[in-house]
Amino acid sequence: MKVLLASSEVHPYSKTGGLADVVGALAKALAKEGLQVGLATPLYKGILEKFPGIHPSDLRIDLPLGTRRVEGEVFQLEGESGLTVYFIRQSDFFHRAGLYQETGADYPDNAERFVFFSKCVMHLARHLAWQPDLIHVHDWQVGLVPLLIKHAKERAGWGTAPKTCLTIHNLAYQGVFPRSAYELTNLPEDYFHPGGAEFYGRMNCLKAGITCADLITTVSPRYAREILTEAFGGGLDDVLRQRQRSLVGILNGVDYTEWKTTGNPFLNNSFALRNLRGKEAEKLSLQLTMGLPQASDRPLFGSICRLVDQKGSDILLGALVEMLAANMQFVLLGSGSPLLEKAFQNLARRYPDKAAARIGYDHPLSHRIEAGCDFYLMPSRFEPCGLNQMYSLRYGAIPIVRATGGLDDSIIDLTEDLEQANGIKFYEYSSRALAKAIRKALVLYRELPLLRHFRKNAMSADFSWDRTTAEYVDVYRRTLAAA
Ligand code: ADP
């Protein structure tokens, strides 16, 4: 089977969130499974310098974008056997400080940038020497690809065009632009209707993917059910319900070759379930780095996230104000809303011995926080899948999560199954409910046999890509076999 993946971010080349981790790992895992895999992504600033193996290909790009033509080049990198990454170089669009925005404001030409990228993906699919059977696109930035392919197949003479799969990593981001942006697609007007790319008079890139893809997946079984409801559907629940038969939820996997507690280049100490001394050393070193008193017997809570409404920062701040009176510490790594950044910085100023906040993006520190913490906080309002709760399980930081989306699918609370319990769940979206969960964690921390039991379940939980890959290959097969 031959698959072309496309994503606006891919670890280790570019990343703002979980999307990059998942696409990077999925591409590797599919290639390992024996599929021929291509992966298309923009060539952002700095990538060429960091990956000297990337080289120009023979493919040139010269595509219409509304009333003008835009040129670009295709660079490529041969990864593990069976995997080739194709980087689209278009310096005006992609050689910038950020991926989607700078200083909190979206780039005003994001429609041009990602309509162009979507057209490049279709161009690649058509002109690569190996013809993909299926194009698998991820999130709104490439949501138009299934529509472009549908048009090519039904009306523009490419009868053998590949099938398409869209994965929704987060329905909260849909790529909605003014109607005028639709002209950039150079598609006939008659796709601009509620059954196509139109959404209340505007162009909605994700909706175009939902209405036109042969297969739709999302990143956890529970989120697949949630997005069919008005509360979680972001205005697209109706369209999603119409496509329900083509929608499946597949829980993301973890790349354990990157997220590991032994031989991890970002950690100073290795540790394992049977020898947690290295974890204790990581805790002391993290406390030092974050400017907190070093105390191995004080429970340390951590959180790493984009500071946006989704992640539950408001209830986290409320719960911490109440709970920091107790004998505990908290560290945060995150960036996003200036208001939330300030709120966490103020909290750290108010409790200098108990709370610390690092504002910014810091990949090595994210590994150290997972390794050094006793508990990991993820009080999300909604969470399509979430990766950090799975990373923290492996690092022996017991996750405290709100029971939503992938958090509910991946974490087992003591009240659900004492034998298998690996985390603490709470249900109501409130500071009070989260504070209660933190109180349970403080009790657990003092009950050593129970804590060991939780750690054992957590650290041995297996979210490896093997299961996830098998599920993707299975749905690809079924899609290719369907008429
Ligand atoms: P989302 O994709 O909604 O941001 P996930 O939990 O699925 O949430 O994935 C987030 C990924 O981004 C994780 O790998 C996490 O460690 C990383 N991350 C988020 N914020 C930061 C940050 N400030 N510094 C380093 N890594 C971060």
Side-chain angles (χ1 to χ4, degrees):
M1 201 187 309
K2 294 173 288 181
V3 182
L4 177 65
L5 307 181
S7 171
S8 59
E9 55 184 274
V10 179
H11 178 75
Y13 314 106
S14 53
K15 172 170 168 178
T16 67
L19 169 66
D21 284 3
V22 172
V23 177
L26 174 64
K28 278 201 302 188
L30 290 170
K32 203 173 122 205
E33 197 60 32
L35 278 72
Q36 174 150 9
V37 184
L39 170 52
T41 193
L43 187 70
Y44 296 109
K45 192 173 170 183
I47 297 181
L48 264 187
E49 291 73 14
K50 262 204 239 150
F51 297 89
I54 300 175
H55 57 91
S57 79
D58 299 334
L59 285 166
R60 289 277 166 284
I61 284 167
D62 180 358
L63 295 168
L65 190 65
T67 51
R68 62 183 177 133
R69 291 194 78 83
V70 178
E71 293 182 20
E73 293 152 280
V74 182
F75 281 60
Q76 70 183 62
L77 179 68
E78 286 73 30
E80 359 241 297
S81 65
L83 169 62
T84 306
V85 187
Y86 300 95
F87 294 92
I88 305 301
R89 174 144 99 172
Q90 212 303 324
S91 301
D92 293 341
F93 284 157
F94 302 125
H95 205 253
R96 299 184 183 181
L99 267 55
Y100 316 119
Q101 50 169 249
E102 258 169 72
T103 54
D106 283 350
Y107 290 126
D109 59 349
N110 273 348
E112 279 92 334
R113 298 171 77 222
F114 292 106
V115 171
F116 174 73
F117 179 53
S118 298
K119 290 184 169 189
C120 291
V121 173
M122 188 174 93
H123 184 79
L124 269 185
R126 195 153 194 177
H127 296 284
L128 283 171
W130 62 279
Q131 286 268 300
D133 306 310
L134 186 113
I135 307 183
H136 184 173
V137 297
H138 298 263
D139 274 356
W140 74 263
Q141 292 87 346
V142 271
L144 285 167
V145 173
L147 173 57
L148 293 166
I149 293 282
K150 178 185 158 88
H151 173 68
K153 196 182 270 183
E154 293 174 3
R155 300 200 211 164
W158 190 17
T160 58
K163 294 260 174 109
T164 53
C165 168
L166 165 75
T167 294
I168 302 168
H169 293 258
N170 194 336
L171 195 60
Y173 302 91
Q174 300 179 2
V176 178
F177 299 100
R179 192 208 188 292
S180 55
Y182 182 72
E183 285 159 27
L184 298 166
T185 66
N186 300 93
L187 287 169
E189 281 296 309
D190 58 359
Y191 294 117
F192 195 79
H193 63 80
E198 193 252 355
F199 184 66
Y200 297 105
R202 313 209 322 149
M203 175 173 82
N204 184 322
C205 298
L206 192 70
K207 185 177 178 187
I210 294 171
T211 53
C212 298
D214 296 299
L215 167 70
I216 306 163
T217 76
T218 188
V219 289
S220 71
R222 174 153 173 178
Y223 193 60
R225 295 191 297 274
E226 287 174 344
I227 58 178
L228 302 177
T229 65
E230 204 182 328
F232 289 90
L236 294 178
D237 45 296
D238 198 22
V239 190
L240 282 161
R241 280 195 299 275
Q242 287 167 29
R243 300 281 345 253
Q244 194 171 352
R245 283 182 31 201
S246 306
L247 170 68
V248 288
I250 301 176
L251 196 69
N252 283 335
V254 172
D255 185 346
Y256 289 121
T257 64
E258 301 251 345
W259 293 90
K260 56 188 178 185
T261 58
T262 54
N264 182 327
F266 303 121
L267 304 181
N268 291 317
N269 307 274
S270 286
F271 60 94
L273 188 55
R274 256 172 275 115
N275 182 2
L276 288 169
R277 270 202 302 278
K279 183 167 173 71
E280 198 173 314
E282 283 297 320
K283 178 173 174 176
L284 293 171
S285 133
L286 178 63
Q287 287 167 323
L288 187 68
T289 300
M290 299 300 287
L292 293 173
Q294 288 179 293
S296 57
D297 63 342
R298 192 175 294 180
L300 178 58
F301 293 70
S303 182
I304 306 159
C305 61
R306 295 179 295 114
L307 296 175
V308 293
D309 195 44
Q310 173 196 341
K311 299 292 176 181
S313 302
D314 54 346
I315 63 169
L316 180 56
L317 283 159
L320 286 170
V321 166
E322 181 183 339
M323 291 309 300
L324 283 173
N327 184 26
M328 62 174 277
Q329 291 177 333
F330 168 75
V331 295
L332 170 105
L333 167 63
S335 64
S337 137
L339 224 74
L340 290 170
E341 289 181 356
K342 199 153 270 145
F344 280 105
Q345 283 169 321
N346 286 341
L347 185 85
R349 261 194 293 274
R350 193 166 149 197
Y351 300 94
D353 286 351
K354 294 196 163 170
R358 180 70 62 88
I359 302 303
Y361 188 89
D362 188 334
H363 187 67
L365 185 60
S366 72
H367 282 259
R368 293 183 55 207
I369 290 178
E370 303 277 9
C373 283
D374 301 297
F375 296 98
Y376 188 86
L377 291 159
M378 221 156 154
S380 306
R381 197 182 282 276
F382 67 94
E383 195 60 75
C385 176
L387 293 171
N388 277 316
Q389 83 280 13
M390 300 197 232
Y391 299 156
S392 65
L393 285 172
R394 183 47 61 106
Y395 285 60
I398 306 299
I400 299 171
V401 305
R402 197 169 93 77
T404 180
L407 298 176
D408 197 29
D409 283 338
S410 56
I411 301 303
I412 305 166
D413 187 81
L414 179 135
T415 54
E416 292 171 306
D417 185 341
L418 175 58
E419 233 3 82
Q420 307 288 324
N422 59 15
I424 297 170
K425 266 186 197 172
F426 66 100
Y427 292 82
E428 187 186 281
Y429 187 81
S430 69
S431 293
R432 203 174 50 113
L434 172 56
K436 193 170 164 194
I438 294 176
R439 243 177 265 125
K440 284 187 188 171
L442 295 177
V443 173
L444 177 62
Y445 190 73
R446 301 286 162 216
E447 300 279 340
L448 281 186
L450 194 58
L451 181 62
R452 262 197 295 276
H453 175 71
F454 268 69
R455 278 222 174 109
K456 179 173 123 317
N457 286 340
M459 294 179 78
S460 54
D462 184 4
F463 292 101
S464 63
W465 270 92
D466 299 345
R467 173 195 44 81
T468 308
T469 314
E471 287 187 53
Y472 275 111
V473 172
D474 183 47
V475 291
Y476 289 169
R477 278 223 172 88
R478 278 192 276 140
T479 304
L480 292 177

